[in-house]
Amino acid sequence: MSRIRNIKELADLAGVSTGTVSRALAGSTLISQKTRERIQALAKEHGFRPNLLARNLRIQRTNTIGVLIPLGHETAQHLTDPFFITMLGLLADKLTERGYDLLLSRVIPTDSAWLDRIATSGRVDGLIVIGQSDQAATIDAVAKDYRPLVVWGGYDADQVHCSVGSDNRKGGDLAASHLIAQGCRKIAFFGDPKTREIEQRLQGVRDALARAGMGEPHIEPAHLTDDEFGPEIAGFLGQAADEPIGIVAASDVIALKTLRAMAVMGLSAPNDVRVMGYDGLTIGEHTVPQLSTICQDLVRGAEHLVDMLVRRIAGEDTQSVVMEPELVLRASA
């Protein structure tokens, strides 16, 4: 049995036009079910598979979504970070359910045109950006003209782009308020507030301290790529003297590294220092002690990101979503 090489040969064999074959293979209801099934059966019998690339070029669709992780603030950070792995897995599942492929890019911005180049490349139907990093202005500039763009990150009333994320300020407030309620009189914030999300979490910590009549938190700009926090923790503990101490980490990863550094120093949580994380990653359930944290609903966040992007691809307008954070109390705080 000869192998059919193109749509014209299949159309000749079926005795129909090439347009009818194209619609049948695409599952179009514009032709009868009987004709559609007959053509699909002939294609299968003769080993014919349509050229999806050519079809996508013709209809100006790629069925691919770009997922970008800009790292302007942490150029040494890797995609093996547990937060990225979790979010990428959730997005891949949701995009696959919608019939899209995922094109992943780890971006180290070198100029302000990096996002525009990707958006106008013709390789994707839309973009999901995970984290604003220090690139909020660049994202806004592109979002003015490029509609199929949704960002995971902190919300600002003046932003142009559409975002999904938790109420970071409220989350920081929840974390610090819990530590204060547990008797902590000295609060530290471990995280670098160069990015919008982390800056908002720090502001929430300040809100809680101000309400309690306490001074500014001790800020340690711990980086996500740092392997050792020992010197920072030792310096903070030395300043705090005998006061009950609490640490709000800007992420679960920073909190876990803090717990490890404390263990090396012979300290434990919550007996010596109370430690709160932020993100709600499942890895925090398996540490010793289990990590208390502020949970972002990443499952629902991924659903929002994909749903809103698909709607924007279809021409709809969507508003940013700010989700409620949840205080999850385990053993570390």
Side-chain angles (χ1 to χ4, degrees):
M1 185 180 297
S2 61
R3 186 179 183 89
I4 291 177
R5 295 170 297 178
N6 54 54
I7 283 182
K8 184 179 185 308
E9 290 183 358
L10 181 57
D12 291 341
L13 180 64
V16 297
S17 69
T18 55
T20 298
V21 169
S22 180
R23 294 186 187 94
L25 296 179
S28 172
T29 57
L30 295 176
I31 58 177
S32 69
Q33 181 177 349
K34 181 179 179 181
T35 300
R36 189 166 64 244
E37 290 177 350
R38 183 171 69 87
I39 293 172
Q40 290 174 351
L42 282 171
K44 183 177 181 181
E45 181 182 352
H46 290 269
F48 175 71
R49 293 181 178 84
N51 186 327
L52 294 179
L53 178 59
R55 177 180 177 273
N56 289 340
L57 287 173
R58 186 171 65 254
I59 64 175
Q60 295 186 320
R61 292 283 297 275
T62 67
N63 289 325
T64 299
I65 299 300
V67 177
L68 312 179
I69 301 178
L71 297 173
H73 68 298
E74 292 277 13
T75 58
Q77 192 175 2
H78 297 291
L79 299 187
T80 51
D81 180 289
F83 175 83
F84 290 152
I85 291 295
T86 301
M87 182 59 85
L88 288 172
L90 292 170
L91 288 174
D93 289 342
K94 298 303 177 185
L95 288 170
T96 300
E97 290 170 6
R98 296 293 192 104
Y100 285 97
D101 292 326
L102 182 154
L103 179 64
L104 175 64
S105 293
R106 174 181 179 268
V107 182
I108 306 297
T110 56
D111 57 45
S112 60
W114 65 269
L115 183 56
D116 184 63
R117 284 194 295 270
I118 297 173
T120 58
S121 68
R123 301 172 66 193
V124 296
D125 295 333
L127 294 171
I128 294 173
V129 180
I130 302 180
Q132 288 115 338
S133 182
D134 56 1
Q135 300 293 304
T138 294
I139 294 170
D140 272 347
V142 172
K144 290 178 182 178
D145 300 312
Y146 185 75
R147 302 298 296 166
L149 170 66
V150 184
V151 180
W152 171 269
Y155 173 75
D156 183 273
D158 295 327
Q159 73 186 37
V160 176
H161 63 271
C162 178
S163 66
V164 177
S166 70
D167 186 334
N168 293 288
R169 186 165 182 169
K170 183 174 182 179
D173 192 320
L174 285 171
S177 293
H178 170 72
L179 294 176
I180 293 168
Q182 297 305 304
C184 295
R185 302 310 302 162
K186 183 74 174 180
I187 304 293
F189 181 82
F190 275 40
D192 190 354
K194 289 181 181 177
T195 68
R196 180 177 295 177
E197 289 178 281
I198 295 182
E199 190 279 329
Q200 290 173 345
R201 293 169 195 177
L202 172 57
Q203 189 56 55
V205 170
R206 286 178 167 140
D207 292 342
L209 293 179
R211 242 186 356 262
M214 298 168 63
E216 278 283 298
H218 173 90
I219 301 172
E220 200 60 62
H223 294 274
L224 292 165
T225 54
D226 288 344
D227 288 328
E228 301 295 338
F229 292 143
E232 292 90 341
I233 293 177
F236 169 60
L237 294 178
Q239 294 177 23
D242 295 327
E243 294 180 283
I245 300 167
I247 294 174
V248 178
S251 73
D252 283 350
V253 171
I254 291 176
L256 295 178
K257 292 182 177 182
T258 300
L259 290 174
R260 184 181 67 183
M262 287 170 52
V264 171
M265 297 171 63
L267 301 175
S268 65
N271 297 328
D272 298 304
V273 181
R274 295 181 182 271
V275 178
M276 288 290 306
Y278 200 113
D279 280 330
L281 302 178
T282 57
I283 191 174
E285 301 175 21
H286 306 291
T287 59
V288 180
Q290 289 185 317
L291 182 65
S292 295
T293 187
I294 301 300
C295 181
Q296 307 187 85
D297 191 340
L298 299 184
V299 173
R300 192 156 63 94
E303 291 173 350
H304 280 308
L305 287 167
V306 173
D307 179 66
M308 291 163 64
L309 182 60
V310 170
R311 288 162 55 194
R312 292 177 79 86
I313 289 172
E316 293 184 40
D317 195 16
T318 59
Q319 302 301 311
S320 293
V321 172
V322 180
M323 301 183 298
E324 285 292 305
E326 178 187 0
L327 177 65
V328 177
L329 296 179
R330 299 191 183 111
S332 68

